[in-house]
Amino acid sequence: MTEFTPGRRLGVDVGDVRIGVAICDPSGLVATPLTTVMRDRDAAEDAIPADMSELGRLVAEHGTVEIVVGLPVTLAGSEGPAAAQVRRYAQRLAQLLDPVPVTLADERMSTMVATRRLSERGIRGRRRRQVIDQAAAAEILQGWLDAQRRRASG
């Protein structure tokens, strides 16, 4: 039986254009959408991209103990080019934010579940596009938190 360490965690959904960010409460029970950060694809190779700087600022502001990054795997559980890209992103983020750990979590279906939940709440069109990345990040983080609690109690 492993004990779950409490503390605020950020959930991160890395997209080509936007990065959805969610946060959990200090006890690690509930993940909620936090913000959307635009990807900085124009940063020089030796520069820190603005999106990673913003994630670092959020880590510091919220006293984050860990970052959970969604890993896009196929329904069959295999990894393709998108997963490789996210692994590279997470590795660079981990180097920049050391000693805060960066953990990868299976994100299968997170965007689809987030879209369905937003629709159920009547959030559509432009408003949904504005928050879908945050909602997907919250789904990723909540799934990871729930799995950690199951592991700790089992």
Side-chain angles (χ1 to χ4, degrees):
M1 191 155 127
T2 313
E3 186 156 332
F4 176 74
T5 307
R8 286 191 176 272
R9 287 168 172 82
L10 288 184
V12 177
D13 181 33
V14 180
D16 289 331
V17 177
R18 292 175 305 277
I19 298 170
V21 183
I23 193 164
C24 71
D25 60 294
S27 63
L29 291 175
V30 180
T32 56
L34 181 62
T35 190
T36 301
V37 177
M38 297 306 292
R39 276 296 288 272
D40 178 7
R41 295 272 190 192
D42 299 326
E45 190 73 26
D46 59 343
I48 298 172
D51 52 288
M52 290 190 181
S53 292
E54 177 61 10
L55 290 173
R57 187 191 70 73
L58 291 169
V59 164
E61 177 183 329
H62 295 284
T64 304
V65 299
E66 188 170 9
I67 299 169
V68 179
V69 176
L71 182 65
V73 294
T74 67
L75 290 178
S78 61
E79 294 186 18
Q85 187 177 37
V86 168
R87 280 189 181 280
R88 285 190 299 275
Y89 187 93
Q91 184 176 24
R92 179 135 191 238
L93 189 62
Q95 291 168 346
L96 292 170
L97 300 180
D98 187 49
V100 176
V102 174
T103 302
L104 292 168
D106 184 338
E107 74 161 31
R108 273 180 275 194
M109 312 294 278
S110 62
T111 300
M112 188 169 47
V113 170
T115 300
R116 188 184 75 233
R117 289 189 187 190
L118 291 172
S119 290
E120 289 169 354
R121 293 184 198 136
I123 300 171
R124 296 187 180 4
R126 171 182 270 168
R127 177 71 180 126
R128 182 166 60 199
R129 284 191 300 276
Q130 292 172 344
V131 298
I132 189 65
D133 301 295
Q134 297 171 35
E139 290 294 331
I140 292 164
L141 182 56
Q142 189 66 58
W144 184 87
L145 291 168
D146 293 346
Q148 298 307 304
R149 270 196 306 285
R150 282 192 302 273
R151 197 170 293 129
S153 67

